[in-house]
Amino acid sequence: RGASSFTLQLHVWWSLLHALAMAASRAGAQLLVIAACWALLQWSTVPSFVALKPREAVTDLEANLRIASVVTAGSLPLSIEQPATAYDSVVSMLQSWLIGGSLMLIIFAAVLVAATANPLTKRRAEILSQVENER
């Protein structure tokens, strides 16, 4: 069955369910529940998954070749460009640590100032003191 026949079949069932719903509005909710259960049962019997044919068994040689090609492809960028493994000198390493540490201190100081200078926190404290004074 193709997709168009499934769509046509679904349209037919939907029309039938619609007609039954119209009849159920006159005959009562019980007929509608029965029709909905029947439609659900019919729809669930439509094949919705078709399994593929099983693949042939992979030999050990094929699996080993696949693994070797994946490992080679994954390590290829490392063989093309050598990674930087060390600083040029101890002085450049210390300079980078000093600059990085200084920047971290500046960022933490800015966060601390922003946290203590929060106008909402100050306003809440003022309102709290006013409420306590009125009591």
Side-chain angles (χ1 to χ4, degrees), residues 68-112:
S69 64
V70 167
V71 169
T72 304
S75 62
L76 189 62
L78 293 176
S79 64
I80 292 174
E81 181 123 358
Q82 293 296 322
T85 57
Y87 288 95
D88 290 340
S89 67
V90 175
V91 174
S92 64
M93 181 183 68
L94 293 175
Q95 285 176 347
S96 70
W97 276 93
L98 287 173
I99 291 171
S102 301
L103 285 175
M104 291 299 291
L105 284 175
I106 291 170
I107 291 171
F108 282 132
V111 167
L112 185 64

Side-chain angles (χ1 to χ4, degrees), residues 1-23:
R1 294 182 183 178
S4 61
S5 67
F6 176 72
T7 306
L8 180 64
Q9 184 183 13
L10 187 61
H11 179 68
V12 169
W13 289 117
W14 179 255
S15 300
L16 182 61
L17 182 62
H18 181 67
L20 288 173
M22 296 304 275

Side-chain angles (χ1 to χ4, degrees), residues 118-135:
N118 189 354
L120 290 176
T121 305
K122 288 183 178 181
R123 181 69 181 143
R124 286 183 189 131
E126 289 175 9
I127 291 174
L128 185 62
S129 65
Q130 288 176 357
V131 169
E132 289 178 358
N133 289 338
E134 290 176 2
R135 288 184 184 176

Side-chain angles (χ1 to χ4, degrees), residues 52-60 62 66:
L52 297 173
K53 290 188 280 184
R55 292 182 8 177
E56 295 179 16
V58 178
T59 63
D60 288 335
E62 289 179 15
R66 286 182 189 171

